[in-house]
Amino acid sequence: MSAEDGDTPGVIKRFLFVNRKAPYGTIYALEALEVVLISAAFDQDVSLAFLDDGVYQVLAGNDPSGIGMKNFSPTYRALDDYDITKLYVERESLQERGLPEDGFVVPVSVVSRAEMAAIMSQQDVVLSF
Amino acid sequence: MLHTVNKSPFASPTLTQCVGHLTDGAAVLLIEDAVVGATEGTASGALLAKCLKTHPVYVLRPDLMARGIGEGRLVKGVQCVDYAGFVTLVTEHDAVQSWL
Amino acid sequence: MAYEVDGKTINADEEGYIINLADWSEPLAAIIAKSEGLEMTPNHWEVVNFLREYYNEFQIAPAIRVLTKAIGKKLGPDKGNNKYLYDLFPYGPAKQACKVAGLPKPTGCI
């Protein structure tokens, strides 16, 4: 980021974090969540997208005690404190996985695949996990 | 032969590849992210329902719980095992093939 | 590094954050506070206990901005501000109070 790019302090960019992996099988979900929390310090316009296997990250009732891993589901509920409130879950991804459109650990907006595509296209920066 | 699959069928073709290689007496065990594939109302669930006519299918319960999927969502006939059950399955079969 | 409590050794990282969160106790907190040069008052304990409750609920130690806001919401605006919290924990309320509370360094702390 340099002055040539027109980046001056106070410029707010739209950041989208794209979550496409199931939690616990890989470290992507947890890493994404930590980056999101850290990015909140920069006061940017942050949105989170959950699609494909990423929808499993925000299901209520995740209990990894049996596989010896820390349960980071409650941390999604702290996002509100960090002023991150735009969480989008893709309807088609839920349908393909036989999942209902409710029962999430945190308030989310369920959007269609076309709406998700539009949300993605509106961003300044897209970070994929 | 005990076949284990550890990738989500929505993200990797390994479950389909595994099911295409089952011989008499073979069993399938889904672990880690693969457990999400055993849910009712999914393409992989339908594949497993067909597979269940000839081969037992198991999922590792702790991995299912970690991902917030209740046992009630599983395709009928799929059996849940814990780690001890995993070990028993390994001892009951002459070899284990992991579809990584 | 490590702390000594009642003849027991409690391991901590090089910055003084304890390794195993289950090792925490009030006597340990008092010892950590002392090594930070803090004299614990009821106001200090209030913040430390608030942090432990926040961690229990959300599994993270909040960033300072979030801590300030959350404390304001729960304990009132005269406590939910930087001056009050920095007076209690001069080296950074999030960092220092988390250390005393036996939590990891705050996520989003830069």
Side-chain angles (χ1 to χ4, degrees):
Chain A
M1 302 228 271
S2 65
E4 284 84 356
D5 300 328
D7 290 319
T8 49
V11 171
I12 293 180
K13 289 194 169 188
R14 285 161 298 191
F15 279 73
L16 179 68
F17 292 86
V18 177
N19 298 282
R20 297 184 50 254
K21 302 273 199 297
Y24 303 110
T26 59
I27 198 74
Y28 287 98
L30 177 58
E31 294 274 302
L33 187 54
E34 298 211 327
V35 175
V36 166
L37 293 172
I38 290 163
S39 74
F42 298 100
D43 284 323
Q44 300 295 303
D45 180 2
V46 173
S47 302
L48 271 60
F50 298 91
L51 63 153
D52 299 332
D53 280 347
V55 298
Y56 292 110
Q57 294 178 23
V58 282
L59 293 187
N62 289 28
D63 174 15
S65 58
I67 56 174
M69 294 176 81
K70 178 179 156 171
N71 186 358
F72 54 86
S73 281
T75 306
Y76 291 101
R77 292 205 297 266
L79 289 172
D80 185 54
D81 288 342
Y82 285 74
D83 296 321
I84 295 169
T85 53
K86 289 185 280 188
L87 280 65
Y88 303 102
V89 174
E90 189 180 88
R91 178 172 294 118
E92 285 84 344
S93 296
L94 293 170
Q95 288 168 349
E96 286 161 8
R97 285 158 185 78
L99 298 171
E101 291 187 18
D102 54 17
F104 300 105
V105 71
V106 69
V108 301
S109 305
V110 177
V111 299
S112 71
R113 187 159 284 165
E115 288 168 324
M116 187 64 91
I119 289 165
M120 289 171 167
S121 70
Q122 290 157 6
Q123 305 300 318
D124 296 309
V125 182
V126 177
L127 294 153
S128 298
F129 292 89
Chain B
M1 180 75 77
L2 174 67
H3 295 267
T4 67
V5 179
N6 75 334
K7 304 282 192 307
S8 162
F10 302 105
S12 157
T14 51
L15 177 62
T16 308
Q17 290 158 345
C18 163
V19 168
H21 291 82
L22 300 180
T23 52
D24 284 353
V28 179
L29 170 63
L30 307 179
I31 62 171
E32 302 171 25
D33 284 348
V35 299
V36 303
T39 43
E40 195 65 76
T42 62
S44 54
L47 174 72
L48 288 172
K50 226 164 85 185
C51 178
L52 274 163
K53 291 177 184 158
T54 46
H55 301 86
V57 177
Y58 304 91
V59 299
L60 192 59
R61 184 183 288 111
D63 277 321
L64 202 61
M65 286 168 56
R67 288 155 188 84
I69 301 168
E71 289 182 36
R73 287 223 179 107
L74 294 180
V75 168
K76 207 164 162 275
V78 171
Q79 300 169 66
C80 282
V81 295
D82 51 21
Y83 285 107
F86 188 165
V87 173
T88 305
L89 283 173
V90 171
T91 61
E92 283 171 356
H93 292 84
D94 47 7
V96 178
Q97 180 166 358
S98 301
W99 295 79
L100 298 176
Chain C
M1 62 175 286
Y3 301 101
E4 294 289 333
V5 191
D6 301 331
K8 231 182 112 194
T9 304
I10 307 294
N11 289 319
D13 68 12
E14 67 275 14
E15 291 180 274
Y17 293 86
I18 62 171
I19 306 292
N20 185 354
L21 308 193
D23 283 341
W24 190 86
S25 63
E26 290 201 2
L28 172 62
I31 287 169
I32 299 174
K34 208 170 169 191
S35 75
E36 291 282 312
L38 294 169
E39 191 64 53
M40 291 295 280
T41 66
N43 287 341
H44 289 86
W45 283 112
E46 190 174 51
V47 174
V48 165
N49 289 328
F50 181 90
L51 274 171
R52 290 188 59 81
E53 283 164 26
Y54 195 94
Y55 189 87
N56 271 338
E57 186 170 356
F58 298 115
Q59 299 296 303
I60 49 165
I64 174 63
R65 182 170 62 92
V66 173
L67 173 68
T68 310
K69 201 170 71 177
I71 285 196
K73 221 187 277 176
K74 183 156 182 217
L75 304 175
D78 51 328
K79 293 184 174 174
N81 63 75
N82 278 338
K83 180 175 183 325
Y84 175 79
L85 293 170
Y86 272 93
D87 282 347
L88 290 176
F89 300 97
Y91 289 96
K95 280 186 198 174
Q96 217 172 14
C98 281
K99 197 183 287 184
V100 176
L103 306 182
K105 210 170 163 176
T107 305
C109 187
I110 49 169

